[in-house]
Amino acid sequence: MTRAGEETYEAYGRSGPARGEVVVTTEGVPEWLDPVVRAAAAVQPHQLSRFLPPADGGGRQSAVLVLFGEGARGPELLLMERAGTLRSHAGQPSFPGGALDPEDGDPATTGPLRAALREAWEETGLDPSGVQTFGVLPKLYIPVSGFVVTPVLGWWRTPSPVSVVDPAETARVFTVPVADLTDPANRATAVHPSGHAGPAFLVESALVWGFTAGVIDRLLHFAGWERPWDRTREVPLDWRA
């Protein structure tokens, strides 16, 4: 993407308030998001994760909304906590998002935009008309669930009320100040019993780890917002995680 928003994708929501034209453009985003805009334009898939989509095209196409807003303490991110009763990633904080529906369209172009906004609306009640999508990161892969995930970057231009829509799927919806995510005191390495280790954030009474923490970690790094932190500080994960 260019700063002037030369490359755009048009997308049309499937239902509800997600209907209407949506484009990916950087025009008008606040200056503090410029480092994220530049990072999104330059980052390569292998710089974000070692887990990349299967070469044979396998995996279930999905998208998440990485939504930046401005709160009482400055820039913040919207997150949600999955219900503890779910079979996949139960109780884990995540970005709003989910699998593409056929009505979302082509996974290679507009589909992820539609899916990210639709899922955010379905899960948090977010009004998509107040969101400006300003970037799309390379597709990544979650081996444990087989999802091929496109992170869609959004600017919460006009904030709307958000809350749990379906308690069977979502335990809570919350925002996290970027200042807390960059605070070294809130950072650690999450270690799974399988031996896998990755970045983690202890914020808002939650342990953010896995795919979500990985995307946040890389965005902070490539945007130049990362502060030195103790990577030897470990947080063990439950075997069910």
Side-chain angles (χ1 to χ4, degrees):
M1 296 314 149
T2 64
R3 185 64 180 86
E6 295 174 358
E7 182 177 356
T8 64
Y9 298 96
E10 292 185 355
Y12 298 88
R14 180 173 65 107
S15 60
R19 285 190 299 236
E21 184 180 5
V22 179
V23 296
V24 172
T25 175
T26 60
E27 185 176 357
V29 300
E31 291 185 2
W32 60 261
L33 269 175
D34 283 351
V36 180
V37 171
R38 290 192 292 268
V43 71
Q44 299 299 307
H46 69 273
Q47 294 177 307
L48 291 175
S49 174
R50 63 188 180 93
F51 298 113
L52 302 180
D56 62 5
R60 189 176 183 188
Q61 296 293 326
S62 65
V64 296
L65 181 63
V66 184
L67 184 59
F68 290 89
E70 285 194 68
R73 296 181 53 211
E76 59 186 17
L77 276 176
L78 177 67
L79 296 178
M80 51 177 273
E81 187 174 307
R82 294 170 59 83
T85 54
L86 293 176
R87 290 190 301 173
S88 177
H89 308 294
Q92 187 172 344
S94 68
F95 300 117
L100 270 67
D101 283 349
E103 295 86 351
D104 291 326
D106 187 355
T109 55
T110 63
L113 299 177
R114 298 176 181 177
L117 291 173
R118 173 183 55 77
E119 287 282 345
W121 168 56
E122 292 177 356
E123 293 175 331
T124 74
L126 171 79
D127 182 356
S129 67
V131 175
Q132 177 180 337
T133 50
F134 67 86
V136 179
L137 296 180
K139 294 180 184 292
L140 304 175
Y141 188 58
I142 303 180
V144 67
S145 58
F147 279 107
V148 174
V149 186
T150 301
V152 176
L153 304 179
W155 155 236
W156 208 350
R157 184 184 63 251
T158 306
S160 56
V162 291
S163 62
V164 173
V165 175
D166 183 356
E169 293 190 359
T170 307
R172 65 172 173 143
V173 178
F174 59 102
T175 57
V176 180
V178 171
D180 287 350
L181 294 167
T182 60
D183 186 343
N186 297 331
R187 304 214 54 181
T189 297
V191 181
H192 194 275
S194 66
H196 176 73
F201 301 84
L202 294 92
V203 290
E204 299 297 321
S205 302
L207 173 63
V208 183
W209 62 282
F211 174 86
T212 303
V215 172
I216 294 174
D217 172 78
R218 293 296 81 195
L219 280 175
L220 296 180
H221 174 77
F222 288 108
W225 292 347
E226 183 180 38
R227 297 165 58 189
W229 57 281
D230 184 4
R231 298 173 186 272
T232 66
R233 180 190 179 194
E234 296 184 351
V235 176
L237 296 173
D238 188 275
W239 66 271
R240 291 166 293 185

